[in-house]
Short mmCIF file of all heavy atoms in Angstrom, two decimals:
data_model
loop_
_atom_site.label_atom_id
_atom_site.label_comp_id
_atom_site.label_asym_id
_atom_site.label_seq_id
_atom_site.Cartn_x
_atom_site.Cartn_y
_atom_site.Cartn_z
N MET A 292 38.03 6.38 -17.46
CA MET A 292 38.94 5.70 -16.53
C MET A 292 39.30 4.31 -17.01
O MET A 292 39.80 3.49 -16.23
CB MET A 292 38.34 5.67 -15.12
CG MET A 292 38.45 7.05 -14.44
SD MET A 292 37.53 7.18 -12.89
CE MET A 292 38.28 5.93 -11.87
N GLY A 293 38.99 4.04 -18.28
CA GLY A 293 39.50 2.81 -18.88
C GLY A 293 38.67 1.55 -18.65
O GLY A 293 39.15 0.44 -18.91
N ALA A 294 37.42 1.67 -18.21
CA ALA A 294 36.59 0.47 -18.05
C ALA A 294 36.35 -0.18 -19.42
O ALA A 294 36.28 0.51 -20.44
CB ALA A 294 35.25 0.84 -17.42
N HIS A 295 36.21 -1.51 -19.40
CA HIS A 295 35.82 -2.21 -20.63
C HIS A 295 34.33 -1.99 -20.83
O HIS A 295 33.52 -2.32 -19.95
CB HIS A 295 36.15 -3.70 -20.50
CG HIS A 295 36.09 -4.43 -21.82
ND1 HIS A 295 34.92 -4.58 -22.52
CD2 HIS A 295 37.07 -5.03 -22.56
CE1 HIS A 295 35.17 -5.26 -23.64
NE2 HIS A 295 36.48 -5.52 -23.69
N ILE A 296 33.95 -1.46 -21.96
CA ILE A 296 32.56 -1.03 -22.14
C ILE A 296 31.59 -2.21 -22.27
O ILE A 296 30.42 -2.11 -21.92
CB ILE A 296 32.47 -0.04 -23.34
CG1 ILE A 296 33.24 1.24 -22.99
CG2 ILE A 296 31.03 0.30 -23.70
CD1 ILE A 296 33.39 2.24 -24.12
N ALA A 297 32.09 -3.37 -22.78
CA ALA A 297 31.18 -4.52 -22.95
C ALA A 297 31.23 -5.50 -21.79
O ALA A 297 30.21 -6.09 -21.44
CB ALA A 297 31.52 -5.27 -24.24
N LYS A 298 32.42 -5.69 -21.22
CA LYS A 298 32.57 -6.80 -20.26
C LYS A 298 32.05 -6.42 -18.90
O LYS A 298 32.80 -6.02 -18.00
CB LYS A 298 34.05 -7.20 -20.17
CG LYS A 298 34.53 -7.98 -21.39
CD LYS A 298 35.94 -8.48 -21.18
CE LYS A 298 36.39 -9.32 -22.37
NZ LYS A 298 37.80 -9.70 -22.27
N ASN A 299 30.74 -6.50 -18.74
CA ASN A 299 30.15 -6.23 -17.44
C ASN A 299 28.80 -6.91 -17.33
O ASN A 299 28.03 -6.95 -18.30
CB ASN A 299 29.97 -4.72 -17.24
CG ASN A 299 29.54 -4.42 -15.81
OD1 ASN A 299 28.37 -4.58 -15.45
ND2 ASN A 299 30.49 -4.03 -14.98
N THR A 300 28.52 -7.47 -16.13
CA THR A 300 27.22 -8.11 -15.91
C THR A 300 26.53 -7.58 -14.66
O THR A 300 25.36 -7.86 -14.42
CB THR A 300 27.38 -9.64 -15.74
OG1 THR A 300 28.35 -9.88 -14.70
CG2 THR A 300 27.84 -10.31 -17.02
N THR A 301 27.27 -6.79 -13.84
CA THR A 301 26.73 -6.45 -12.52
C THR A 301 26.44 -4.97 -12.32
O THR A 301 25.81 -4.59 -11.33
CB THR A 301 27.71 -6.92 -11.42
OG1 THR A 301 29.00 -6.38 -11.72
CG2 THR A 301 27.80 -8.43 -11.37
N SER A 302 26.91 -4.11 -13.21
CA SER A 302 26.63 -2.68 -13.08
C SER A 302 25.12 -2.45 -13.25
O SER A 302 24.47 -3.15 -14.06
CB SER A 302 27.40 -1.91 -14.17
OG SER A 302 26.81 -0.65 -14.40
N TYR A 303 24.58 -1.45 -12.56
CA TYR A 303 23.15 -1.16 -12.73
C TYR A 303 22.85 -0.58 -14.11
O TYR A 303 21.72 -0.63 -14.57
CB TYR A 303 22.63 -0.27 -11.59
CG TYR A 303 22.43 -1.09 -10.34
CD1 TYR A 303 23.36 -1.06 -9.30
CD2 TYR A 303 21.35 -1.96 -10.23
CE1 TYR A 303 23.20 -1.87 -8.18
CE2 TYR A 303 21.19 -2.78 -9.11
CZ TYR A 303 22.11 -2.73 -8.10
OH TYR A 303 21.96 -3.54 -7.01
N VAL A 304 23.88 -0.06 -14.77
CA VAL A 304 23.68 0.36 -16.17
C VAL A 304 23.23 -0.85 -16.99
O VAL A 304 22.30 -0.78 -17.80
CB VAL A 304 24.99 0.96 -16.76
CG1 VAL A 304 24.91 1.12 -18.27
CG2 VAL A 304 25.31 2.31 -16.11
N VAL A 305 23.89 -2.00 -16.72
CA VAL A 305 23.56 -3.23 -17.47
C VAL A 305 22.26 -3.84 -16.93
O VAL A 305 21.35 -4.17 -17.70
CB VAL A 305 24.74 -4.24 -17.36
CG1 VAL A 305 24.39 -5.55 -18.05
CG2 VAL A 305 26.01 -3.63 -17.97
N LEU A 306 22.16 -3.94 -15.62
CA LEU A 306 20.98 -4.59 -15.01
C LEU A 306 19.69 -3.83 -15.31
O LEU A 306 18.64 -4.44 -15.47
CB LEU A 306 21.17 -4.70 -13.49
CG LEU A 306 22.34 -5.61 -13.04
CD1 LEU A 306 22.55 -5.50 -11.52
CD2 LEU A 306 22.08 -7.06 -13.44
N ASP A 307 19.79 -2.51 -15.41
CA ASP A 307 18.59 -1.71 -15.68
C ASP A 307 18.29 -1.57 -17.17
O ASP A 307 17.41 -0.79 -17.56
CB ASP A 307 18.73 -0.30 -15.05
CG ASP A 307 18.74 -0.36 -13.52
OD1 ASP A 307 18.35 -1.41 -12.97
OD2 ASP A 307 19.15 0.63 -12.89
N GLY A 308 19.05 -2.27 -18.00
CA GLY A 308 18.79 -2.23 -19.45
C GLY A 308 19.18 -0.93 -20.10
O GLY A 308 18.59 -0.51 -21.09
N GLU A 309 20.18 -0.24 -19.51
CA GLU A 309 20.60 1.06 -20.08
C GLU A 309 21.94 0.97 -20.80
O GLU A 309 22.56 1.98 -21.12
CB GLU A 309 20.69 2.10 -18.95
CG GLU A 309 19.32 2.45 -18.40
CD GLU A 309 19.40 3.23 -17.09
OE1 GLU A 309 20.52 3.42 -16.56
OE2 GLU A 309 18.34 3.63 -16.60
N HIS A 310 22.39 -0.24 -21.04
CA HIS A 310 23.70 -0.42 -21.68
C HIS A 310 23.66 0.15 -23.10
O HIS A 310 24.54 0.89 -23.52
CB HIS A 310 24.05 -1.92 -21.69
CG HIS A 310 25.51 -2.21 -21.63
ND1 HIS A 310 26.00 -3.46 -21.44
CD2 HIS A 310 26.60 -1.41 -21.77
CE1 HIS A 310 27.33 -3.44 -21.44
NE2 HIS A 310 27.71 -2.20 -21.63
N ILE A 311 22.59 -0.22 -23.83
CA ILE A 311 22.42 0.33 -25.19
C ILE A 311 21.18 1.22 -25.18
O ILE A 311 20.12 0.81 -24.71
CB ILE A 311 22.27 -0.82 -26.20
CG1 ILE A 311 23.63 -1.54 -26.34
CG2 ILE A 311 21.82 -0.28 -27.56
CD1 ILE A 311 23.59 -2.78 -27.16
#
Side-chain angles (χ1 to χ4, degrees):
M292 285 170 61
H295 193 295
I296 294 173
K298 285 187 177 174
N299 188 282
T300 53
T301 53
S302 159
Y303 283 102
V304 167
V305 176
L306 296 173
D307 293 344
E309 291 167 355
H310 210 170
I311 290 172

